[in-house]
């Protein structure tokens, strides 16, 4: 663009195969034909409940809650990290860079990207991205946006040596009012996707870590709801009661509804986008030069993180192991008020440069 300014346009694509995925080799096999207990948005009529199988009847089927390795004497969980995962990343970016010239340098870069995978968090560092798949033997159902997917990110930085009184003949003006510089970084990006969870072993495969929810396309975005279980007469029964024939959403206007036992969860993985953010950090520096040819300097600095004290409410401020944020039956589902969000931080420093 100019002698001191460059424009760069890039594409980056990666493909990864045979990534480790945490699975339970002796987890129950999930047969979709057994996930047939319906979930209603309003109280069902007697006709709708008539002739529906009960939870007890479904659990009595020979292929429900059966461990595939039980016949070999393995009666408990057998966890493994199988090399069966896949991921892909594609991005386009554009950046402008001005090298330091006449006291000014800056960079600005924007990236548009998409990351897709079928596993991310196999080592249990966070509950908002389950460490195990919903169905150990159907990894294809896990394919979706990666927990690392950040579709939009913009970063700009500037370094500017203020020219005022820098070369003044007055030693007072030069040392007191000159020698200042400002450095600043601004960043803005989309939030990361998370997976709303039911918090129970909905598909009855002996594991509740990855059981997702029922997606209501007409629900209010970002809301969740518990369910109540009813028997064939429409009477409420405890969740897990063998006489259960259906579930009813507590909040029919919720977007994500808890999948009760042997109800089919149809929500995909990482379908809820958490909050994005923007933030500005800045540094103000003052140099006092001394020595022959001003080769030495005493530098004072004020570093300000989160310059505008925004109290940024993002997923990073929420306890990563707190299930209340991601379980749809929780009153704190997708509620950032349970997080700890720091504000502005100022740090003063001094150093001698020689």
């Amino acid at each position: 663009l100019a002698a001191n300014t460059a424009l760069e346009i890039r594409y980056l694509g990666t493909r990864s195969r045979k990534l480790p995925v945490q699975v339970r080799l002796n987890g129950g096999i999930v047969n979709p034909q057994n996930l047939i207990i319906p979930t209603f948005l309003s109280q069902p009529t007697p006709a709708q409940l008539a002739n529906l199988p009960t939870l007890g009847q479904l659990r009595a089927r020979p292929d429900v809650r059966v461990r595939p390795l039980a016949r070999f004497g393995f009666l408990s969980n057998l966890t493994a990290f199988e090399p069966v995962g896949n991921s892909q990343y594609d991005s386009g970016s554009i950046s402008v860079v001005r090298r330091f010239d006449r006291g000014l340098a800056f960079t600005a870069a924007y990236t548009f990207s998409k990351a897709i995978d079928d596993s991310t968090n196999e080592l249990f560092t966070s509950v908002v991205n389950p460490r195990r798949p919903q169905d150990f033997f159907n990894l294809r159902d896990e394919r979706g946006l990666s927990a690392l997917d950040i579709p939009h990110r913009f970063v700009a930085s500037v370094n500017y040596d203020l020219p005022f009184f820098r070369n003044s003949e007055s030693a007072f003006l030069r040392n007191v009012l000159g020698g200042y510089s400002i450095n600043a970084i601004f960043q803005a990006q989309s939030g990361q996707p998370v997976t709303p969870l039911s918090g129970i072993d909905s598909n009855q495969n002996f594991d509740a870590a990855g059981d997702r929810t029922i997606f209501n396309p007409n629900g209010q975005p970002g809301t969740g709801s518990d369910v109540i279980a009813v028997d064939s007469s429409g009477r409420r029964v405890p969740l897990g009661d063998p006489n259960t024939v259906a579930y009813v959403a507590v909040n029919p206007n919720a977007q994500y509804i808890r999948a009760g036992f042997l109800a089919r969860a149809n929500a995909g993985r990482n379908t809820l986008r958490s909050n994005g953010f923007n933030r500005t950090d800045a540094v103000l520096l003052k140099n006092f030069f001394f020595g022959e040819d001003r080769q030495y300097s005493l530098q004072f600095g004020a570093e300000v993180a989160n310059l505008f004290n925004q109290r940024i409410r993002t997923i990073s401020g929420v306890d990563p192991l707190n299930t209340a944020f991601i379980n749809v039956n929780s009153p704190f589902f997708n509620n950032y008020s349970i997080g700890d969000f720091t504000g502005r931080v100022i740090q003063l420093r001094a150093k001698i440069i020689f």
Side-chain angles (χ1 to χ4, degrees), residues 168-182:
S168 173
E169 295 181 358
S170 169
F172 174 81
L173 294 177
R174 187 172 61 248
N175 289 312
V176 176
L177 300 181
Y180 287 93
S181 63
I182 297 174

Side-chain angles (χ1 to χ4, degrees), residues 320-335:
L321 299 181
N322 187 344
T323 58
F325 182 83
I326 204 60
N327 286 356
V328 296
N329 61 305
S330 166
F332 297 103
F333 170 69
N334 198 28
N335 187 339

Side-chain angles (χ1 to χ4, degrees), residues 155-218:
V155 179
S157 65
V158 60
N159 303 316
Y160 185 44
D161 286 346
L162 299 179
F164 311 114
F165 305 103
R166 182 170 54 192
N167 299 314
S168 173
E169 295 181 358
S170 169
F172 174 81
L173 294 177
R174 187 172 61 248
N175 289 312
V176 176
L177 300 181
Y180 287 93
S181 63
I182 297 174
N183 306 320
I185 298 177
F186 171 79
Q187 56 180 318
Q189 69 174 48
S190 308
Q192 72 178 82
V194 296
T195 302
L197 299 174
S198 288
I200 57 174
D201 184 12
S202 303
N203 60 13
Q204 299 287 270
N205 70 338
F206 302 104
D207 185 40
D211 290 78
R212 300 195 288 269
T213 60
I214 297 169
F215 181 75
N216 176 12
N218 298 316

Side-chain angles (χ1 to χ4, degrees), residues 71-152:
R71 65 184 186 275
F72 301 113
F74 295 96
L75 303 179
S76 59
N77 295 322
L78 185 60
T79 302
F81 293 86
E82 296 284 278
V84 293
N86 300 278
S87 73
Q88 68 180 65
Y89 174 81
D90 295 281
S91 70
S93 63
I94 182 170
S95 64
V96 178
V97 178
R98 172 193 164 102
R99 64 179 176 82
F100 194 78
D101 184 30
R102 287 180 286 183
L104 175 65
F106 67 80
T107 64
Y110 168 74
T111 301
F112 174 69
S113 65
K114 176 170 283 191
I116 297 173
D117 62 19
D118 47 28
S119 61
T120 306
N121 180 36
E122 69 278 357
L123 296 179
F124 193 30
T125 57
S126 166
V127 295
V128 298
N129 304 110
R131 63 193 182 279
R132 289 189 293 272
Q134 180 173 250
D135 180 355
F136 308 125
F137 306 103
N138 183 15
L139 196 60
R140 173 173 240 149
D141 193 41
E142 299 298 304
R143 182 176 171 82
L145 291 177
S146 171
L148 307 177
D149 179 62
I150 306 294
H152 303 283

Side-chain angles (χ1 to χ4, degrees), residues 37 303 311:
I37 295 186
E303 302 176 354
R311 300 278 176 177

